[in-house]
């Protein structure tokens, strides 16, 4: 029965309290995020570390489970170096492939010999997961674990069956969820995992929820009923436009509709399961020296940031450590420069100091001036029952900009469903910005880039929605030179 309801649990959440008290705030509408999902959204970027036995094989991305354990031998593993890199890139969380599809475990699991216990590295006494979580703790990075559900090494056993595997995987999940401190995300890759049914994931899900109540679950396919977050539908960093946090897999009549629902979400979907965008900084997921010249440029990373974080998604950026067990200097440099460019661009909202008015203004604590007060605790809201609003900013002087950003109050649900931005030099004749016309989603963050325009007036037109607008911030910006 393909048309069954998926994403069952994640939507049944209660709205988190809104930041302001006193004057009556707008009521939440539609589905709203759980506290776990709000915390996840605020990370914006998460690092993905694909590291394992594949790193030591020639050009292997998905090992066959047969590589000898002895080849695992990083010469200078230093998870502290990984974390320093994340710090300089402003990345607050990281996920390690504790076991990829080859089945090799980066920790000394009691339940298999196919792990670091039999590696040359540290004469079998090492534990990469321990070093990873300890470094996360030391640097204040949130640790996450990828325990690949698909395991080619286990399939090599002559008496393999899914019931045995269910218990094997559960035991390993227990080790990782119990012995390594707080885990902020688990990643259930759907790749190769079609034989793993929802009842299996039900068994495993209970372990995660019991041991790590705050852990965000990335789920795909048969693990969707437990997912806090969904796959975005491609590995190119291109989240949809729109990219609603809500979706619903019931409507999946064919493959194209399935991918569209992952990529764009569904405004009236039946579950709140926002999209995570996984993409590698290199062509492959694991490190290969041949790809040192193909590390994504800062401009390519900026494009990805805008089409992931800037499309109401969270970016899971893969940074594969090399055979030394270190991040390559080129990868580190590019993400530090990306961070510098993002900070530079968004540190200066060019609407700051403008006069601002709205045709639909709740006023008081929710006055439209809060759109440009650079304060995440405040927001603008319209009056109940009125979804539309024209918001006009009169800048102190004519200003040139090539980028805009809006942030909705996600705790109150997706509200606005169509919006556009226009500019003017005299406040009478208005010109549309084509790239910012007929936009649909805002969500956590929406970024639009365009050919530079110079204007003294900017108008944000909220054209449709299911309830009055509730928006934290709106701004126009000039993209930093380093991003071009
Ligand atoms: O061949 N594939 O399995 C594949 C090719 C390109 C992009 C994705 C995939 S598998 C895909 O991986 C996702 C994570 O990146 C999720 O796990 C999906 O469920 C899975 O189908």
């Amino acid at each position: 029965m393909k048309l069954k309801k998926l994403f069952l649990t994640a939507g049944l959440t209660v709205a988190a309290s809104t930041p302001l008290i006193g004057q009556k705030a707008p009521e939440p509408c539609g589905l709203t995020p759980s506290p776990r999902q709000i915390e996840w959204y605020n990370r914006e970027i998460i690092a993905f570390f694909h590291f394992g036995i594949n790193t030591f094989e020639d050009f292997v991305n998905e090992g066959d489970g047969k590589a000898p354990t002895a080849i695992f031998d990083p010469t200078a593993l230093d998870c502290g170096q990984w974390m320093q890199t994340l710090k300089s890139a402003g990345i607050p969380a990281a996920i390690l492939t504790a076991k990829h599809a080859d089945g090799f475990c980066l920790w000394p699991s009691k339940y298999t010999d196919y792990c670091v216990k039999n590696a040359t590295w540290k004469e079998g006494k090492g534990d990469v997961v321990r070093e990873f979580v300890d470094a996360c703790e030391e640097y204040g990075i949130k640790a996450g674990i990828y325990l690949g559900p698909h395991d080619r090494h286990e399939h090599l056993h002559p008496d393999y069956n899914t019931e045995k595997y269910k218990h094997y995987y559960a035991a390993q999940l227990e080790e990782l969820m119990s012995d390594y401190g707080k885990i902020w995300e688990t990643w259930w890759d759907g790749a190769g995992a079609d034989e793993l049914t929802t009842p299996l994931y039900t068994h495993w899900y209970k372990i995660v929820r019991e041991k790590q109540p705050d852990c965000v679950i990335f789920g795909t396919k048969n693990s969707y009923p437990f997912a806090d977050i969904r796959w975005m539908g491609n590995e190119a960093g291109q989240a949809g436009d729109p990219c609603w946090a809500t979706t619903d897999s019931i409507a999946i009549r064919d493959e194209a509709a399935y991918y569209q629902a992952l990529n764009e979400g569904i405004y009236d979907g039946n579950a709140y399961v926002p999209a995570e965008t996984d993409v590698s900084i290199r062509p492959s997921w694991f490190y290969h020296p041949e790809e040192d010249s193909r590390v994504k440029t800062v401009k390519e990373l900026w494009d990805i940031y805008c089409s992931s974080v800037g499309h109401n998604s969270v970016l899971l950026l893969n940074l594969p450590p090399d055979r030394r067990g270190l991040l390559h200097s080129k990868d580190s440099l590019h993400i530090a420069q990306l961070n510098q460019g993002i900070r530079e661009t968004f540190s200066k909202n060019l609407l700051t100091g403008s006069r601002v008015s709205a045709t639909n203004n709740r006023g008081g604590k929710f006055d439209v001036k809060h759109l440009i007060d650079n304060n995440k605790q405040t927001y603008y809201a319209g009056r109940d029952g009125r979804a539309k609003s024209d918001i006009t900013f009169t800048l102190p002087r004519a200003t040139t900009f090539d980028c805009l950003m809006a942030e909705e109050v996600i705790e109150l649900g997706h509200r606005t469903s169509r919006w556009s931005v226009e500019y003017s030099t005299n406040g009478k004749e208005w010109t549309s910005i084509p790239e910012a016309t007929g936009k649909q989603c805002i969500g956590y963050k929406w970024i639009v880039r365009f050919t530079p325009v110079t204007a003294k007036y900017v108008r944000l037109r909220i054209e449709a929605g299911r309830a009055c607008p509730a928006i934290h911030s709106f701004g126009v910006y000039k993209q930093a030179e380093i991003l071009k």
Side-chain angles (χ1 to χ4, degrees), residues 92-162:
I95 299 175
L96 173 67
T97 53
K99 177 184 88 167
H100 204 256
D102 51 72
F104 180 81
C105 300
L106 289 180
W107 78 103
S109 173
K110 288 204 280 290
Y111 305 98
T112 185
D113 290 332
Y114 200 60
C115 70
V116 284
K117 280 188 294 194
N118 289 305
T120 302
W121 181 60
K122 295 194 171 176
E123 297 174 334
K125 302 281 186 297
D127 182 343
V128 184
V129 177
R130 175 74 57 211
E131 295 195 21
F132 167 72
V133 297
D134 286 353
C136 282
E137 167 88 22
E138 184 182 343
Y139 286 87
I141 302 285
K142 292 175 171 173
I145 292 289
Y146 172 114
L147 182 64
H150 180 52
D151 186 326
R152 297 207 176 96
H153 185 75
E154 284 306 298
H155 276 80
L156 299 174
H157 289 186
D159 56 350
Y160 173 88
N161 64 52
T162 49

Side-chain angles (χ1 to χ4, degrees), residues 2-229:
K2 277 269 179 258
L3 303 185
K4 66 188 173 209
K5 288 201 179 197
L6 297 175
F7 301 123
L8 293 181
T9 56
L12 303 176
T13 54
V14 179
S17 59
T18 48
L20 292 175
I21 48 167
Q23 181 167 343
K24 197 169 171 301
E27 291 293 325
C29 79
L31 296 171
T32 54
S34 66
R36 275 199 300 275
Q37 291 167 323
I38 294 168
E39 181 280 318
W40 167 86
Y41 259 125
N42 279 289
R43 296 180 209 164
E44 297 202 359
I45 308 182
I46 304 167
F48 213 176
F49 293 126
H50 274 69
F51 185 61
I53 205 155
N54 294 346
T55 311
F56 299 88
E57 291 192 274
D58 285 335
F59 223 90
V60 166
N61 266 311
E62 294 261 322
D64 58 8
K66 295 178 184 164
T69 53
I71 67 171
F72 185 82
D73 192 18
T75 51
L77 179 76
D78 179 4
C79 295
Q81 185 250 10
W82 307 1
M83 302 307 155
Q84 283 159 11
T85 305
L86 300 196
K87 282 289 181 195
S88 65
I91 298 177
I95 299 175
L96 173 67
T97 53
K99 177 184 88 167
H100 204 256
D102 51 72
F104 180 81
C105 300
L106 289 180
W107 78 103
S109 173
K110 288 204 280 290
Y111 305 98
T112 185
D113 290 332
Y114 200 60
C115 70
V116 284
K117 280 188 294 194
N118 289 305
T120 302
W121 181 60
K122 295 194 171 176
E123 297 174 334
K125 302 281 186 297
D127 182 343
V128 184
V129 177
R130 175 74 57 211
E131 295 195 21
F132 167 72
V133 297
D134 286 353
C136 282
E137 167 88 22
E138 184 182 343
Y139 286 87
I141 302 285
K142 292 175 171 173
I145 292 289
Y146 172 114
L147 182 64
H150 180 52
D151 186 326
R152 297 207 176 96
H153 185 75
E154 284 306 298
H155 276 80
L156 299 174
H157 289 186
D159 56 350
Y160 173 88
N161 64 52
T162 49
E163 189 57 22
K164 279 205 181 74
Y165 184 68
K166 168 176 147 182
H167 295 294
Y168 172 75
Y169 186 93
Q172 294 200 322
L173 195 58
E174 288 242 19
E175 286 182 317
L176 292 170
M177 294 295 124
S178 309
D179 302 343
Y180 291 91
K182 183 146 176 144
I183 302 299
W184 291 88
E185 184 164 335
T186 53
W187 225 78
W188 278 337
D189 204 333
D194 289 347
E195 68 170 359
L196 304 173
T197 58
T198 300
L200 260 72
Y201 282 106
T202 309
H203 187 67
W204 300 339
Y205 161 79
K206 288 178 186 155
I207 297 167
V208 178
R209 269 294 148 266
E210 187 205 329
K211 306 279 180 198
Q212 300 282 349
D214 298 332
C215 182
V216 168
I217 295 177
F218 171 96
T220 63
K221 299 178 180 166
N222 294 335
S223 66
Y224 268 141
F226 315 108
D228 293 297
I229 53 173

